Amino acid sequence: MISEPNKFIKKYGGSALVVFAVLLLWEIIARTHHQILALVWNLFTLPKPVPDWTFLSSPFAVVRSLPSELLSGSLLFAFWGTVYHCLLAFIIAAAVGLLLSRLLLMSLQTQRAILPLLNALSGIPPVTLFPLLLVAFKLGSGSVVTLAVFGAVVSVALISYDAQVKLTRDFGLMISKLGYSKIGRWLWELSLASNGLFTAAREGIRWSLILSVVGEMHGSVAGGIGAYVDSGRLNQNYALVYVGIISCALLSLFLKIALDAVATMLHKIVKGLLLSPEINFRAA
């Protein structure tokens, strides 16, 4: 029988070794890139000057900068700025996207009017609209949130529409014939559509985070990971750039885990209600 520590090593040991190898290689290259580049340029007689890769801040320098950044509050201020922009954009995009998906389901006329527009907008890279948003909303949070909303709302609308359109009238009639009440039918529909709806939510929150950070980089926003990273770049303090990148990755991971936890909890609640012997969702 395999002991618990051995199970842990077997499960995560390979990943830990890969991460350690990448960090070690990064540290070596960061410390020796001047010599490596000079050797390559001389060996292949490439045109001078030899590039200076000072942006390759070492992992040790990144870790060393963390305590001072946390104690000064600048990293937390940037982190919460991005959380605010991302969640505000996601809430607005989710509300508008779900409304648009319901409008698409109302009639063939609304579908013909709205669906081609959404498909056309989905092909436009949202960042190309940022200069126009800066003119409309000036520099600041308004342009950042609007950019993130635009990028997220199209994905939310199209994916949630696709999830709901799979619940055809035939399915509704089938559930009705089984004798479920209106609430019972709604719970069944929610249970079956939840995977698609949460896929729409994941796409929405992903676009909200990406575009919030992009907007913060170029929108002269006081707080936000994007502004934090851009400040590190301008001051040539590349360790702070990597701190910002890592913070953004951790925020993305946290939002994904939180959304997955909500999806799992909702699925269990709906399933428990439908299968509960104490609650009758059959029509009287």
Side-chain angles (χ1 to χ4, degrees), residues 44-68:
F44 294 98
T45 60
L46 297 173
K48 300 294 189 294
V50 178
D52 184 12
W53 285 5
T54 51
F55 65 88
L56 285 173
S57 182
S58 71
F60 179 76
V62 174
V63 173
R64 190 176 54 190
S65 66
L66 268 175
S68 61

Side-chain angles (χ1 to χ4, degrees), residues 45-214:
T45 60
L46 297 173
K48 300 294 189 294
V50 178
D52 184 12
W53 285 5
T54 51
F55 65 88
L56 285 173
S57 182
S58 71
F60 179 76
V62 174
V63 173
R64 190 176 54 190
S65 66
L66 268 175
S68 61
E69 289 301 301
L70 289 171
L71 289 173
S72 69
S74 58
L75 180 58
L76 291 176
F77 179 69
F79 186 86
W80 288 116
T82 298
V83 170
Y84 167 75
H85 293 140
C86 174
L87 292 184
L88 179 59
F90 172 69
I91 291 167
I92 297 171
V96 175
L98 288 172
L99 177 62
L100 287 171
S101 69
R102 295 305 297 177
L103 286 173
L104 289 170
L105 293 167
M106 282 178 62
S107 68
L108 190 60
Q109 287 74 19
T110 57
Q111 188 181 122
R112 286 173 176 172
I114 299 173
L115 193 57
L117 178 62
L118 288 176
N119 285 325
L121 290 174
S122 68
I124 299 174
V127 291
T128 59
L129 299 176
F130 196 52
L132 298 177
L133 295 176
L134 288 176
V135 173
F137 296 95
K138 309 304 178 185
L139 298 174
S141 295
S143 56
V144 172
V145 173
T146 306
L147 174 68
V149 168
F150 177 82
V153 72
V154 177
S155 295
V156 171
L158 289 174
I159 297 173
S160 56
Y161 164 71
D162 185 59
Q164 293 175 81
V165 84
K166 290 176 181 177
L167 298 172
T168 60
R169 290 180 181 177
D170 292 337
F171 169 77
L173 289 171
M174 181 187 72
I175 294 297
S176 298
K177 289 177 180 179
L178 291 174
Y180 279 95
S181 64
K182 189 175 181 180
I183 296 176
R185 290 198 302 271
W186 183 82
L187 286 171
W188 269 111
E189 289 175 1
L190 178 62
S191 175
L192 293 173
S194 61
N195 285 338
L197 292 175
F198 275 101
T199 298
R202 290 184 192 98
E203 275 298 292
I205 209 159
R206 185 176 72 89
W207 274 111
S208 296
L209 178 58
I210 291 170
L211 294 172
S212 291
V213 173
V214 170

Side-chain angles (χ1 to χ4, degrees), residues 26-49:
W26 179 10
E27 183 74 35
I28 292 171
I29 292 174
R31 290 177 180 272
T32 61
H33 70 273
H34 294 292
Q35 295 87 337
I36 293 172
L37 289 173
L39 179 64
V40 170
W41 250 246
N42 291 328
L43 184 63
F44 294 98
T45 60
L46 297 173
K48 300 294 189 294

Side-chain angles (χ1 to χ4, degrees), residues 215-255:
E216 289 161 359
M217 284 183 176
H218 303 288
S220 295
V221 179
I225 294 174
Y228 181 90
V229 168
D230 200 47
S231 174
R233 177 188 66 84
L234 291 172
N235 295 319
Q236 295 188 352
N237 189 346
Y238 296 109
L240 299 190
V241 173
Y242 289 104
V243 169
I245 292 170
I246 293 167
S247 301
C248 190
L250 291 175
L251 176 56
S252 177
L253 180 63
F254 171 77
L255 291 173

